[in-house]
């Protein structure tokens, strides 16, 4: 049995291929675009104030570009340990805190990296390269988003083709227990990416809907304020009209008194009374003019109210369109999830069949090995 186990192990090693040969390391796809040397520090996760040295001496800090994934990374290795492995995003900022020291925050790693350079020129070069790579990452992300939106539109236009592709039988290799279902994994990755893109579109639609809701709420608030102001203005107009009629009656009465006094031809006190009545009449005319101006202003506000009401109707129409679009996206996501569930069930079934075939193959190999040992014994005898 020991000889059969050893023969089986040697046979297995010859026939099977190591999995790492099928998948080259991702560093082989990346190209360095800039390198410098610096002392690396990380912020103390407890105090968030003190710096902890990540390297005992100056190490190489490099910018790498992955053409396949279209991403930029900052990588620094000390011995066999990766000191810095940071994917650059457009939101990152490199800050110079002194003449030879700079830092930036990595939210994914939940840490802050600090670099101490030997000269101020090296710090300046690294800062300029950081800005350049950050702008390139921003452009790459925008292009990737545009491409994803275009792919999503094409995929949504032909969901049946996507379903047929995802349900196609995966290719497999029965060389050993470490072999994978490559096409099944590719289908899962494609479907997951499609699902993420649709969810992203749905979230963008939700954000637009929230913005429209906020705009509608603002318009409704302004509308209610304008309605209240209009009602108040109408009430004031009625009151001012009554006051105006009263002032006109008072003016006519005063004029009659003035005319009566002039008819009597009296002097002294009647002249003084006439001056007072004239002054009161001027004040009433000025007040009447001011009230007329306020009436014109309120009429202009009424026109603005009608315009705001029209804008509110437009906002309500946009919100209804966004709700219909969100409903359509939710329906497509449900279909995609159903396709994903069917694909996963198909993959599980294929995994079970492959495992059964491997077990049968192991038994056959073991039986052949026993037969070989028996033949060897017969030949020896």
């Amino acid at each position: 049995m020991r000889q059969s186990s050893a023969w089986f192990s040697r046979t297995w090693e010859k026939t099977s291929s190591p999995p790492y040969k099928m998948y080259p390391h991702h560093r082989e796809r990346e190209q360095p675009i800039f390198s410098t040397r610096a002392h690396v520090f990380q912020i103390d996760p407890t105090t968030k104030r003190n710096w902890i040295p990540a390297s005992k001496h100056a190490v190489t800090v490099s910018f790498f570009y992955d053409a396949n994934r279209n991403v930029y990374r900052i990588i620094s290795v000390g011995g066999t340990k990766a000191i810095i492995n940071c994917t650059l995003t457009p939101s990152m900022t490199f800050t110079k805190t002194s003449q030879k020291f700079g830092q930036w925050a990595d939210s994914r790693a939940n840490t802050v990296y600090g670099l101490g350079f030997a000269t101020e020129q090296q710090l300046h070069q690294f800062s300029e390269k950081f800005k350049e790579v950050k702008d390139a990452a921003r452009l790459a992300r925008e292009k990737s988003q545009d491409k994803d939106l275009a792919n999503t539109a094409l995929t949504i236009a032909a969901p049946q083709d996507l379903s047929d592709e995802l349900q196609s039988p995966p290719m497999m290799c029965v060389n050993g227990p470490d072999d994978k279902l490559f096409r099944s994994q590719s289908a899962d990755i494609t479907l997951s990416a499609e699902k993420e893109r649709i969810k992203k579109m749905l979230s963008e639609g939700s954000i637009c809907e929230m913005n429209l809701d906020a705009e509608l709420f603002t318009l409704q608030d302004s509308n209610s304020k304008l309605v209240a102001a209009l009602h108040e203005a109408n009430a004031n107009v009625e009151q001012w009209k009554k006051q105006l009629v009263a002032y006109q009656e008072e003016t006519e009465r005063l004029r009659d008194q003035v005319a009566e006094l002039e008819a009597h031809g009296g002097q002294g006190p009647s002249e003084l009374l006439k001056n007072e009545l004239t002054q009161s009449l001027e004040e009433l005319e000025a007040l009447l003019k001011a009230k007329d101006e306020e009436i014109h202003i309120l009429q202009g506000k009424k026109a603005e109210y009608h315009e705001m009401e029209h804008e509110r109707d437009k906002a309500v129409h946009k919100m209804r369109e966004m709700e219909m679009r969100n409903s359509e996206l939710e329906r497509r996501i449900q279909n995609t999830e159903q396709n994903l569930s069917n694909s996963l069930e198909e993959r599980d079934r294929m995994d079970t069949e492959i495992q059964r075939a491997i077990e049968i193959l192991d038994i056959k190999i073991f039986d052949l090995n026993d037969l070989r040992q028996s033949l060897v014994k017969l030949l020896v005898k």
Side-chain angles (χ1 to χ4, degrees):
M1 289 298 294
R2 292 181 180 177
Q3 293 178 355
S4 61
S5 300
W7 175 85
F8 179 78
S9 301
R10 289 194 301 269
T11 306
W12 188 267
E13 290 174 356
K14 291 179 181 179
T15 55
S16 61
S17 300
Y20 61 83
K21 291 184 180 179
M22 300 180 188
Y23 296 93
H25 199 267
H26 61 84
R27 287 289 300 276
E28 296 178 4
R29 302 176 304 187
E30 296 180 332
Q31 297 295 330
I33 56 177
F34 177 81
S35 296
T36 185
R37 293 186 65 83
H39 291 271
V40 181
F41 300 84
Q42 288 188 6
I43 200 71
D44 188 352
T46 304
T47 62
K48 298 294 184 180
R49 294 182 179 179
N50 301 325
W51 290 104
I52 300 176
S55 61
K56 297 181 180 179
H57 51 79
V59 295
T60 301
V61 181
S62 303
F63 289 86
F64 281 84
Y65 173 65
D66 189 343
N68 292 338
R69 296 190 301 162
N70 202 13
V71 296
Y72 296 84
R73 293 199 303 162
I74 301 177
I75 297 176
S76 178
V77 180
T80 59
K81 179 183 178 182
I83 302 174
I84 301 177
N85 187 2
C86 172
T87 301
L88 273 176
T89 62
S91 60
M92 291 183 178
T93 303
F94 184 80
T95 305
K96 298 179 182 179
T97 56
S98 66
Q99 294 182 352
K100 299 180 181 180
F101 192 88
Q103 65 184 42
W104 79 94
D106 186 0
S107 58
R108 294 183 179 179
N110 193 22
T111 188
V112 179
Y113 294 106
L115 298 179
F117 297 89
T119 62
E120 185 177 357
Q121 181 181 3
Q122 292 180 350
L123 173 61
H124 179 72
Q125 291 176 352
F126 186 89
S127 177
E128 292 299 319
K129 180 57 67 174
F130 193 99
K131 294 178 182 178
E132 178 183 346
V133 172
K134 184 178 74 171
D135 293 338
R138 177 178 56 80
L139 294 175
R141 174 175 290 184
E142 292 175 356
K143 292 181 180 179
S144 177
Q145 290 177 352
D146 294 340
K147 185 177 180 181
D148 290 343
L149 289 176
N151 292 338
T152 302
L154 294 174
T155 307
I156 292 175
Q160 185 63 33
D161 296 339
L162 175 63
S163 176
D164 293 339
E165 180 184 353
L166 294 179
Q167 293 179 359
S168 61
M171 294 182 64
M172 56 186 176
C173 179
V174 197
N175 289 333
D178 293 332
D179 292 328
K180 305 296 181 181
L181 301 178
F182 300 110
R183 290 192 60 184
S184 178
Q185 289 182 348
S186 176
D188 292 342
I189 294 172
T190 305
L191 190 56
S192 300
E194 177 64 22
K195 183 178 178 182
E196 292 298 326
R197 284 196 295 268
I198 296 178
K199 284 186 176 179
K200 184 177 180 182
M201 290 180 62
L202 182 59
S203 64
E204 291 176 355
S206 300
I207 292 172
C208 294
E209 184 179 359
M210 291 173 62
N211 294 335
L212 288 175
D213 288 338
E215 185 179 354
L216 179 61
F217 178 77
T218 304
L219 290 175
Q220 289 176 347
D221 185 50
S222 302
N223 184 24
S224 61
K225 290 181 180 178
L226 287 173
V227 170
L230 185 60
H231 289 315
E232 183 179 358
N234 290 332
N236 292 334
V237 167
E238 295 296 330
Q239 183 180 0
W240 290 336
K241 284 183 179 179
K242 293 179 181 179
Q243 290 179 0
L244 180 60
V245 173
Y247 290 153
Q248 288 176 348
E249 293 176 354
E250 181 70 17
T251 301
E252 293 296 331
R253 188 180 64 81
L254 291 174
R255 281 179 179 175
D256 292 340
Q257 290 181 1
V258 171
E260 184 180 353
L261 290 172
E262 287 179 351
H264 288 293
Q267 299 294 330
S270 60
E271 188 69 24
L272 180 61
L273 181 61
K274 179 180 179 181
N275 293 333
E276 291 178 356
L277 292 174
T278 303
Q279 184 178 1
S280 299
L281 182 61
E282 292 176 354
E283 291 177 355
L284 289 172
E285 289 177 350
L287 182 61
L288 180 61
K289 186 177 180 180
K291 297 298 181 182
D292 288 337
E293 291 178 356
E294 290 183 0
I295 289 173
H296 288 303
I297 292 173
L298 290 173
Q299 288 177 350
K301 288 184 178 180
K302 187 175 181 181
E304 293 179 359
Y305 162 74
H306 290 301
E307 184 179 354
M308 293 289 290
E309 200 170 34
H310 179 65
E311 292 180 357
R312 184 195 63 180
D313 294 337
K314 290 173 63 177
V316 170
H317 180 67
K318 289 182 180 179
M319 186 178 68
R320 289 176 180 173
E321 289 181 352
M322 291 302 299
E323 288 177 351
M324 294 176 61
R325 183 182 176 187
N326 287 341
S327 300
E328 180 66 18
L329 289 174
E330 288 176 356
R331 184 183 63 81
R332 291 173 179 173
I333 286 177
Q334 290 176 357
N335 293 337
T336 305
E337 289 177 347
Q338 183 64 32
N339 293 335
L340 176 61
S341 177
N342 295 336
S343 178
L344 291 176
E345 291 177 358
E346 181 67 18
R347 190 188 67 177
D348 293 339
R349 188 180 64 80
M350 295 300 297
D351 286 341
T352 304
E353 293 180 359
I354 290 172
Q355 187 64 31
R356 188 181 300 115
I358 291 174
E359 292 176 355
I360 294 172
L361 182 62
D362 290 341
I363 294 172
K364 295 295 184 182
I365 292 174
F366 184 75
D367 292 340
L368 290 173
N369 184 46
D370 287 343
L371 180 60
R372 175 180 172 277
Q373 293 296 329
S374 299
L375 292 175
V376 169
K377 292 179 180 180
L378 289 174
L379 293 173
V380 170
K381 290 181 180 181

